Amino acid sequence: MRNKEEKALFKMMNMVHHEDGLTLGLGYGGGRTSESKLSSDGHRHHLFKHYEPSLTLGRPSEDSIHGGYDEATTTTTTVTNMAAAAASHSSPNSAVSSFSNVNRSAVKRERDIASEEVDLERPVSSRVSDEDEDGSTGARKKLRLTKEQSALLEDSFKEHSTLNPKQKQDLAHRLNLRPRQVEVWFQNRRARTKLKQTEVDCEFLKRCCESLTDENRRLQKELQELKMIKYTSSMPLYMQFPAATLSMCPSCERIASAGGGEDKAKAATFLIGAPKPTHLYGPFTNSPAAC
DNA sequence: TCGACGCGCTCCCTTACTTCA
DNA sequence: CGTGAAGTAAGGGAGCGCGTC
């Protein structure tokens, strides 16, 4: 996993991708609402809108009835504030949804078990040892896909990031895996792709921000210079010269430029920025060389 | 025709395990 | 050899579209 800042940022920035482009969204927390649509190829695409805070609680594992692993450890379940709201008040949809999803989870488990039973006919190809497969250790053992399996899945993912049922079945058969495993692999692969894209987009936005900050700073400075030019142009001519370039002849009491003509002095004023008025009233201590 | 419901799919968050520095 | 970070397979909650009743 990446550092916590990136992870938090990833939670905040929900990037939604489609074939035709990229959109950005902001959110936080665990639960979320979404839209989904069915594309022309039969794949469903979701448009996630926002996140909601979540609360994680421990509870006894139900994994033993899944058939995949036969341990009795603890897992966690995420209780969104939407579910909490359903339990306490408001949101009739939440209540219905929660109830519906409880049933759905049960159905899902039954489906997985059924899938498992069908797939028991063929061996699961993985790096899990025989001892692990018989579950004698009682701990959840994680199977690792072989390089060949990963490579084929990658190739398939390059062709299409989502699978229809037929493609899933076919791929599972070719890889000697359960369809559920193929499904999970694609799910995780999409998540990884999205995370990487998010990192790239974040970097891009960061640079944009820096660039705009610099540009803003530059424009502010330019604006200040223009304001000063406008201010000095409204003054008597002699006040437009920097004090250092002016001198007064003690005999004739006429002010003259010490270093050259008016144009030169004006140009200097423009280039170095207009001096503050107080500087114009500085001491005329230069020698009266001009007279 | 409309609403309720179940199903299948996706998403996200999280956990548990493996690998590696 | 122990340990923490990173990678990843999998579990589970939730929303949505679609078909059926």
Side-chain angles (χ1 to χ4, degrees):
Chain A
M1 184 56 69
R2 281 150 188 80
N3 64 46
K4 290 182 179 177
E5 288 80 10
E6 285 183 350
K7 196 173 179 182
L9 192 59
F10 178 62
K11 280 187 177 181
M12 282 176 57
M13 298 187 61
N14 181 27
M15 318 294 289
V16 183
H17 301 269
H18 293 283
E19 289 82 358
D20 58 348
L22 167 74
T23 56
L24 300 175
L26 292 174
Y28 70 99
R32 59 106 177 78
T33 59
S34 70
E35 294 174 4
S36 68
K37 65 177 181 181
L38 212 55
S39 66
S40 57
D41 60 354
H43 294 136
R44 199 180 302 279
H45 300 279
H46 290 252
L47 304 175
F48 293 93
K49 291 172 181 174
H50 68 273
Y51 291 89
E52 293 164 358
S54 66
L55 174 66
T56 301
L57 300 171
R59 66 163 174 72
S61 173
E62 293 179 350
D63 288 340
S64 57
I65 64 172
H66 284 254
Y69 302 108
D70 48 4
E71 87 286 11
T73 58
T74 31
T75 61
T76 61
T77 180
T78 301
V79 181
T80 68
N81 65 344
M82 185 174 282
S88 59
H89 68 292
S90 74
S91 186
N93 288 337
S94 300
V96 171
S97 178
S98 297
F99 177 75
S100 172
N101 278 296
V102 167
N103 289 340
R104 202 170 295 170
S105 295
V107 169
K108 195 176 182 178
R109 281 193 289 274
E110 287 173 8
R111 192 182 69 211
D112 289 347
I113 291 168
S115 171
E116 200 82 26
E117 285 170 351
V118 169
D119 291 307
L120 282 177
E121 293 172 8
R122 65 170 187 270
V124 175
S125 174
S126 71
R127 284 179 241 159
V128 176
S129 68
D130 291 340
E131 180 186 323
D132 293 337
E133 281 186 329
D134 67 23
S136 60
T137 61
R140 171 171 159 177
K141 294 298 177 185
K142 184 174 181 173
L143 76 86
R144 301 287 296 189
L145 301 176
T146 63
K147 286 183 179 178
E148 291 75 19
Q149 288 172 323
S150 295
L152 190 52
L153 285 165
E154 277 291 344
D155 289 343
S156 183
F157 185 82
K158 282 175 187 171
E159 290 180 25
H160 30 65
S161 61
T162 55
L163 294 172
N164 61 37
K166 188 180 182 303
Q167 289 171 327
K168 191 198 298 178
Q169 278 289 344
D170 183 49
L171 205 51
H173 184 72
R174 286 167 63 192
L175 293 166
N176 220 5
L177 294 171
R178 293 187 297 275
R180 169 66 182 161
Q181 288 177 294
V182 175
E183 181 182 315
V184 166
W185 188 90
F186 268 74
Q187 174 58 40
N188 288 320
R189 186 64 179 77
R190 282 191 293 270
R192 284 195 290 275
T193 300
K194 189 173 177 179
L195 179 62
K196 277 205 165 53
Q197 186 59 47
T198 300
E199 289 172 2
V200 169
D201 292 337
C202 276
E203 193 58 35
F204 174 73
L205 288 173
K206 207 184 291 179
R207 285 181 189 168
C208 280
C209 184
E210 287 170 1
S211 172
L212 287 171
T213 302
D214 289 344
E215 176 72 359
N216 184 48
R217 202 173 292 137
R218 189 185 65 77
L219 290 172
Q220 289 281 358
K221 189 179 174 186
E222 194 174 317
L223 178 64
Q224 195 171 354
E225 287 175 0
L226 290 171
K227 279 181 178 176
M228 289 309 294
I229 288 171
K230 186 182 176 187
Y231 177 77
T232 54
S233 66
S234 66
M235 291 178 177
L237 187 60
Y238 73 90
M239 293 179 70
Q240 297 178 26
F241 293 95
T245 65
L246 299 175
S247 61
M248 181 184 289
C249 177
S251 56
C252 63
E253 293 188 346
R254 286 166 65 180
I255 295 172
S257 171
E262 286 182 16
D263 292 342
K264 192 174 178 181
K266 276 189 178 178
T269 302
F270 179 79
L271 286 173
I272 65 173
K276 290 180 181 177
T278 52
H279 292 167
L280 295 174
Y281 294 101
F284 297 98
T285 54
N286 291 350
S287 60
C291 296

